[in-house]
Amino acid sequence: MNVPKQDFVHRFHIIGISIAVIMLVLIYFSSLVTGVDFDTFMTNIDQFGVILGQMKDPDWSYLAKMKDPLLQTVQMAILGTTFGTALAIPFSIFAARNIVKNRIGRGIIRIILSLIRTLPNLLLAALFVAIFGIGPMTGVITLALFSFGMVSKLFYEVIETIDMGPVRAIRATGASMAQTVRIAVMPQVAGQFMSDFLYTLEINVRSSTVLGYLGAGGIGLYLQQTLDQYDYPRTAVIIISIFVVVLVIDTISNYLRKRLQ
Amino acid sequence: MENQIVLEFKHVNKTYQSGVKGLEDINFKVNRGEFVAVVGLSGAGKSTMLNSINKMIDITDGEVLVDGVDISKLKGKALRQMRRKIGMIFQNFNLVERTTVQKNVLAGRSGYYPTWKTMLGLYSKADKQKAVEELDKVNMVKKLYRRADELSGGQKQRVAIARTLMQDPTLVLADEPVASLDPKTSKGVMDDLYHLKKYENITVLVNIHSVELALQYADRIIGLRDGKLVYNKPIAEANEADLKQIYENGVEQ
Ligand SMILES: Nc1ncnc2c1ncn2[C@@H]1O[C@H](COP(=O)(O)OP(=O)(O)OP(=O)(O)O)[C@@H](O)[C@H]1O
Ligand SMILES: [Mg+2]
């Protein structure tokens, strides 16, 4: 039997090649516009070596003072992620196509969620520092809102992949929509929700370390101070301790997420 | 004994949005405690008919009377209370796979609970007791604390029957309940469904492809073809040749 011939477009990968060419052209033009200059990069790279040299003798005595701000950083991340996730659960249900048939209501919720997601973390922090003042509370609110935007989307995408058979069966027993979600939807998504929560927590631990830069609590404040004073031996201690904390949290979270699979 | 009508279709039509006529002017009555087999080719409208009895799909016009009430016009709480009386069994069992048999069976009772109790997973002691009793009727008590995904197909269907019994239904609808089971398991599940009629006086409507099983269990046989009711006879008058014809004269879609 003859192998059927593919048409011209598919046979020569016209679409793939076109996209690649367009991408290259776009990258070239955006580097022109933003003024990315390879020469400047090369001439300044030795500065990197200088600072690294000053960091090679970390001021370990500073470590004890870092304990509380580090702890605060992690606490901010945990609280922010928890509040954001808790709020995301009802919203993701209302945004899920297979649960809410009302297109308009769903559309409005989805628009709100994507608007929240367009706001970068640091912008949110700057905004909330202006509203709520300096302190870890502001960090928690920032992280909560950021997690809310991200987790809601992850959650409703999970909900949209569930098996609808049990949902129909529970609905048919005379259960209300809320009861049906609790009985037939939650058990199907709980594991993935937990995994998404942990993943968001990892991201938030990382971002909460820099929020202090804007006055939103945590270790970032100290990072800013030592850098402003060119106190690189202390900066080194901060960076190393952040690195260790992030690594520990990521490892625990990864382990738990594997267990959830 | 006086015949009491549990279910009645009056001039029921269902046209899907695609323009396909799922049901065309369907009329029939079912008495309490009857075991009715619904037969017909694939695409004849059997599932459409069954799903319009508990308003899982909306009919286009006509009336579907359950215990004298037109369910097709009900909404909200009134509809949910009506659905409590109507059990449903599916070809794919539709258990919540990641929870225990006990929770699956208790879920059949949720129409009787306020939402906040369900949210907290609270069920009364009496209902926990009832769950064990209903599981006992289908011989599945030993699996009470097992997860549903550990069960075989036949066992899952039995648990689904126990879940339906939790509703205290007057009417049970089964959409090809044994289509994915082997012959021996099929017989066991059909026996369980038959016991609902025999011991609990529950009316049972079963969509079924097997003519043998239909003749073996049913009190009455209803035949559909292309959305129309083409056959409706008590078992005493039904014969295999008639049934074969329902299948042969239709055009496979
Ligand atoms: N959601 C839907 N939208 C449009 N058409 C549908 C829909 N569901 C069913 N139909 C059509 O309605 C007709 C009856 O379908 P139905 O599922 O009731 O048949 P059935 O007798 O249950 O078939 P089977 O034995 O294969 O289960 C078919 O032509 C089918 O294609
Ligand atoms: Mg069907």
Side-chain angles (χ1 to χ4, degrees), chain A residues 163-184 187-192, chain B residues 54 56 80 83-84 86 88 90 93-96 98-99 107-108 110-111 113-115 118-121 123 163 167:
Chain A
D163 173 10
M164 288 301 283
V167 173
R168 252 178 283 126
I170 299 301
R171 216 50 196 132
T173 66
S176 67
M177 205 58 224
Q179 289 176 313
T180 306
V181 168
R182 169 69 178 80
I183 293 170
Q188 293 194 60
V189 297
Q192 191 56 46
Chain B
N54 55 1
M56 292 304 283
R80 293 203 302 274
R83 278 181 179 159
R84 293 198 310 214
I86 309 170
M88 196 164 210
F90 305 81
F93 328 120
N94 289 348
L95 298 182
V96 184
R98 289 170 184 223
T99 48
S110 36
Y113 279 82
T115 297
T118 304
M119 290 299 144
L120 299 175
Y123 292 97
R163 172 172 71 186
Q167 295 173 234

Side-chain angles (χ1 to χ4, degrees), chain A residues 9-58:
Chain A
V9 170
H10 285 101
R11 203 149 28 123
F12 295 102
H13 307 286
I14 296 298
I15 294 173
I17 291 170
S18 313
I19 290 174
V21 170
I22 292 170
M23 290 295 278
L24 283 175
V25 171
L26 282 179
I27 288 169
Y28 176 72
F29 278 109
S30 38
S31 70
L32 284 187
V33 172
T34 51
V36 171
D37 181 355
F38 211 61
D39 290 343
T40 326
F41 181 74
M42 275 328 214
T43 40
N44 284 350
I45 199 142
D46 49 337
Q47 192 61 25
F48 189 66
V50 174
I51 292 177
L52 215 58
Q54 291 178 353
M55 282 189 179
K56 79 177 184 311
D57 298 313

